[in-house]
Amino acid sequence: MTAGPVKFEELSLSPESLKAVQDMGFEEATPIQSQCISLIQSGRDIIGQSQTGTGKTAAFGIPLLERIDPDNPKVQALILSPTRELAIQISEEFNKLLRYRQGVRVLPIYGGQPIERQISTLKKGVQVVVGTPGRVMDHIERRTLRLSQVSIVVLDEADEMLDMGFRDDIEFVLEKMPEDRQTLLFSATMPAPILELTKRYQRDPKHITVIRNTLTVPSIEQTYFEVRESLKLDALCRLIDAESPTLSMVFCNTKKRVDELSEQLQGRGYFAEGLHGDLKQSQRDLVMRKFRNRTLEILVATDVAARGIDVDDIDIVFNYDLPQDEEYYIHRIGRTGRAGRHGRAFTFAAGREIYKLREIMHYTKAKIKRGKMPTLTDIEEIKTRQFTEKIKSIIEEGAMTKYINVVESMIDYSALDIAAALLKYHLYDEDAEDILFEEPKKQYNQSQHYSRSDRQERSHDRTGKVNKNMSRLFINIGKKDKVRPNDIVGAITGEAGIPGRVIGHIDIYEDFTFVDVPKTLTNKILDRMAQSKIKGKKVKIEWAKPK
Ligand code: ADP
Ligand code: MG
């Protein structure tokens, strides 16, 4: 067994693999890689157990790809993977590993994509197939995928595949394989059904376990906040405003919670979307694409939906709900702090959940320190600092003549007064109540009330006061039409081409909806939306009549 970090140079990689790995920026092999690679090269069957994010793909990918004969156009390796996203991710990682090798073709195959396209690519000759069990089985039955020359098969995320009910499909596929092959199984957990699989389909497998939390935990700063259920949403927004993460993930325990929370965040103007198993594959793909290219800042997810998803650069993981299973805690926070980056995990707990949190700390040996929620004053300070930085950079950029002329026309006031007034206008909301620290004084009315967190400008507070910069529009569509805040935001941003974050409160009543939009954009919005539809219904949108 290896001890300590291992350099890729110390493993017996081909020069092409070594160069590719260096291009990928890997400095040293992860524990699962350093323990698996040479064993796999030697032809052994393997059970590899380690958490998400520990580099299992390259652990099997490097030796597997080195084995492929580019001159043989037949399928030589098959990887079974639980989801389409994972199949695609694995193919992408494989293609990176293949950068310095010609003639090895990798194809992901999964349900949801037209099978004809897959068939025609398979016909052209593909040596490595990465597929979901159902679709792979389908191709085998159609005889469009022939496994007679497969010498290595990988079951990736085996526990997940079994949880998803793929057991029969997996067995079907394995039965169709040549007996004389190498079988690699990777899984984060080792429940009994996995052991049965390995007994039946592997030959004298070597079990390699990387002790949990050696990799993920140390570089992750973990904090918990005592937050009551009713204030979690405000607490989350507060922390996001204070920390301004570029990408964050928020975990909830159920699909329903994911839907609720992502809607609430959208209603407050955040770029958030939910991911869970009930979404159609195409929707999931869209969400993941947006998250990867950063048009989405906050991904709200269940544990199952998030597993195996590989996005680096997640700044903060929020445990909005305390995970039910201690092991989930490790999985969740392992989303951040990847590849040696500094990651942070914030966990909400209230009342009796604190005991559960202690159990998690005990089980994971994690140090989770108690955090203090930033106050509105803290946020103001942060915003002020960001604002002054921004102002400085604008001044340094120059090209301000037009604006200097405007200021000069206000000769009755000093430049200092004008600047201060602008700052106040832009930044501060003196009437804001800090409901995380005091009981809210005003009750919300009976409508579903969504207020945005004013990240761009502090022009709105959450007590329902309307700012003079905003005007209120009326739309004749409401709860009875099942309209949700993101439908409204989507329609306005889509039709009028304005960013979602400038949209203010959205109040959805039974028959109609009010939405606040910046005064300066109102005419444009009314104009562009004159003919538009929301939820398939042609809507009327107009200035709201004053109460
Ligand atoms: P797992 O399958 O164990 O969940 P992945 O194979 O998806 O993990 O790897 C997680 C991330 O870590 C990927 O972005 C991958 O490119 C990266 N990675 C893999 N091996 C290394 C390494 N040796 N050094 C740095 N990053 C790595
Ligand atoms: Mg993986």
Side-chain angles (χ1 to χ4, degrees), residues 480-499:
K480 69 170 189 331
D481 309 293
K482 302 206 165 39
V483 70
R484 304 185 311 170
N486 54 329
D487 300 322
I488 304 288
V489 174
I492 296 177
T493 55
E495 298 284 339
I498 61 168

Tab-separated table of all heavy atoms in Angstrom, residues 480-499:
chain	number	residue	atom	x	y	z
A	480	LYS	N	-54.195	30.757	-9.999
A	480	LYS	CA	-55.105	29.793	-10.623
A	480	LYS	C	-54.532	29.295	-11.964
A	480	LYS	O	-54.891	28.218	-12.431
A	480	LYS	CB	-56.498	30.394	-10.829
A	480	LYS	CG	-56.561	31.491	-11.879
A	480	LYS	CD	-58.015	31.833	-12.178
A	480	LYS	CE	-58.193	32.771	-13.379
A	480	LYS	NZ	-57.130	33.701	-13.689
A	481	ASP	N	-53.654	30.073	-12.564
A	481	ASP	CA	-53.000	29.638	-13.807
A	481	ASP	C	-51.691	28.917	-13.517
A	481	ASP	O	-50.906	28.662	-14.418
A	481	ASP	CB	-52.711	30.847	-14.701
A	481	ASP	CG	-53.943	31.706	-14.905
A	481	ASP	OD1	-54.870	31.218	-15.540
A	481	ASP	OD2	-53.970	32.849	-14.395
A	482	LYS	N	-51.445	28.652	-12.240
A	482	LYS	CA	-50.218	27.973	-11.818
A	482	LYS	C	-48.967	28.744	-12.205
A	482	LYS	O	-47.927	28.165	-12.519
A	482	LYS	CB	-50.148	26.555	-12.406
A	482	LYS	CG	-51.327	25.675	-12.011
A	482	LYS	CD	-50.924	24.222	-12.049
A	482	LYS	CE	-51.893	23.290	-11.336
A	482	LYS	NZ	-53.308	23.607	-11.520
A	483	VAL	N	-49.080	30.049	-12.204
A	483	VAL	CA	-47.919	30.839	-12.597
A	483	VAL	C	-46.962	30.930	-11.413
A	483	VAL	O	-47.394	30.963	-10.252
A	483	VAL	CB	-48.348	32.229	-13.100
A	483	VAL	CG1	-48.863	33.089	-11.966
A	483	VAL	CG2	-47.206	32.903	-13.828
A	484	ARG	N	-45.680	30.879	-11.704
A	484	ARG	CA	-44.682	30.946	-10.657
A	484	ARG	C	-43.756	32.127	-10.924
A	484	ARG	O	-43.675	32.588	-12.062
A	484	ARG	CB	-43.882	29.649	-10.597
A	484	ARG	CG	-44.779	28.429	-10.398
A	484	ARG	CD	-43.978	27.186	-10.221
A	484	ARG	NE	-42.962	27.063	-11.258
A	484	ARG	CZ	-42.000	26.157	-11.225
A	484	ARG	NH1	-41.908	25.328	-10.210
A	484	ARG	NH2	-41.110	26.088	-12.197
A	485	PRO	N	-43.056	32.586	-9.891
A	485	PRO	CA	-42.228	33.780	-10.097
A	485	PRO	C	-41.282	33.657	-11.283
A	485	PRO	O	-41.087	34.605	-12.027
A	485	PRO	CB	-41.442	33.893	-8.793
A	485	PRO	CG	-42.186	33.116	-7.797
A	485	PRO	CD	-42.993	32.096	-8.515
A	486	ASN	N	-40.719	32.456	-11.455
A	486	ASN	CA	-39.755	32.375	-12.557
A	486	ASN	C	-40.421	32.447	-13.920
A	486	ASN	O	-39.782	32.824	-14.897
A	486	ASN	CB	-38.829	31.161	-12.433
A	486	ASN	CG	-39.582	29.879	-12.295
A	486	ASN	OD1	-40.674	29.864	-11.733
A	486	ASN	ND2	-39.040	28.798	-12.804
A	487	ASP	N	-41.732	32.128	-13.978
A	487	ASP	CA	-42.439	32.327	-15.252
A	487	ASP	C	-42.485	33.814	-15.587
A	487	ASP	O	-42.290	34.225	-16.727
A	487	ASP	CB	-43.878	31.789	-15.167
A	487	ASP	CG	-43.914	30.293	-14.858
A	487	ASP	OD1	-43.045	29.576	-15.388
A	487	ASP	OD2	-44.778	29.867	-14.081
A	488	ILE	N	-42.775	34.601	-14.546
A	488	ILE	CA	-42.872	36.049	-14.737
A	488	ILE	C	-41.502	36.612	-15.113
A	488	ILE	O	-41.343	37.341	-16.102
A	488	ILE	CB	-43.374	36.739	-13.434
A	488	ILE	CG1	-44.708	36.137	-12.984
A	488	ILE	CG2	-43.447	38.243	-13.611
A	488	ILE	CD1	-45.901	36.497	-13.820
A	489	VAL	N	-40.501	36.247	-14.298
A	489	VAL	CA	-39.146	36.741	-14.569
A	489	VAL	C	-38.719	36.313	-15.971
A	489	VAL	O	-38.219	37.115	-16.764
A	489	VAL	CB	-38.142	36.213	-13.520
A	489	VAL	CG1	-36.716	36.606	-13.892
A	489	VAL	CG2	-38.486	36.739	-12.140
A	490	GLY	N	-38.985	35.053	-16.293
A	490	GLY	CA	-38.586	34.522	-17.594
A	490	GLY	C	-39.238	35.284	-18.733
A	490	GLY	O	-38.584	35.636	-19.718
A	491	ALA	N	-40.534	35.562	-18.588
A	491	ALA	CA	-41.241	36.245	-19.667
A	491	ALA	C	-40.681	37.661	-19.850
A	491	ALA	O	-40.414	38.093	-20.970
A	491	ALA	CB	-42.728	36.304	-19.343
A	492	ILE	N	-40.494	38.345	-18.744
A	492	ILE	CA	-40.028	39.731	-18.864
A	492	ILE	C	-38.605	39.785	-19.401
A	492	ILE	O	-38.306	40.550	-20.319
A	492	ILE	CB	-40.130	40.457	-17.502
A	492	ILE	CG1	-41.602	40.554	-17.092
A	492	ILE	CG2	-39.521	41.848	-17.593
A	492	ILE	CD1	-41.829	41.184	-15.737
A	493	THR	N	-37.739	38.936	-18.856
A	493	THR	CA	-36.356	38.977	-19.335
A	493	THR	C	-36.301	38.534	-20.783
A	493	THR	O	-35.598	39.122	-21.596
A	493	THR	CB	-35.440	38.070	-18.497
A	493	THR	OG1	-35.997	36.759	-18.489
A	493	THR	CG2	-35.301	38.572	-17.091
A	494	GLY	N	-37.095	37.525	-21.119
A	494	GLY	CA	-37.080	36.996	-22.474
A	494	GLY	C	-37.607	37.995	-23.492
A	494	GLY	O	-36.991	38.236	-24.523
A	495	GLU	N	-38.754	38.596	-23.187
A	495	GLU	CA	-39.384	39.483	-24.156
A	495	GLU	C	-38.666	40.823	-24.231
A	495	GLU	O	-38.451	41.380	-25.298
A	495	GLU	CB	-40.855	39.744	-23.780
A	495	GLU	CG	-41.717	38.511	-23.776
A	495	GLU	CD	-42.089	38.048	-25.178
A	495	GLU	OE1	-42.031	38.868	-26.109
A	495	GLU	OE2	-42.408	36.861	-25.329
A	496	ALA	N	-38.335	41.362	-23.054
A	496	ALA	CA	-37.802	42.720	-23.042
A	496	ALA	C	-36.278	42.734	-23.063
A	496	ALA	O	-35.664	43.784	-23.208
A	496	ALA	CB	-38.327	43.473	-21.819
A	497	GLY	N	-35.693	41.568	-22.913
A	497	GLY	CA	-34.236	41.489	-22.974
A	497	GLY	C	-33.554	42.251	-21.857
A	497	GLY	O	-32.526	42.893	-22.039
A	498	ILE	N	-34.133	42.218	-20.677
A	498	ILE	CA	-33.484	42.889	-19.548
A	498	ILE	C	-33.051	41.833	-18.538
A	498	ILE	O	-33.630	40.751	-18.500
A	498	ILE	CB	-34.425	43.922	-18.874
A	498	ILE	CG1	-35.669	43.217	-18.328
A	498	ILE	CG2	-34.808	45.013	-19.859
A	498	ILE	CD1	-36.469	44.101	-17.419
A	499	PRO	N	-32.042	42.111	-17.743
A	499	PRO	CA	-31.574	41.092	-16.806
A	499	PRO	C	-32.572	40.835	-15.682
A	499	PRO	O	-33.216	41.752	-15.193
A	499	PRO	CB	-30.279	41.683	-16.245
A	499	PRO	CG	-30.354	43.143	-16.515
A	499	PRO	CD	-31.237	43.337	-17.701
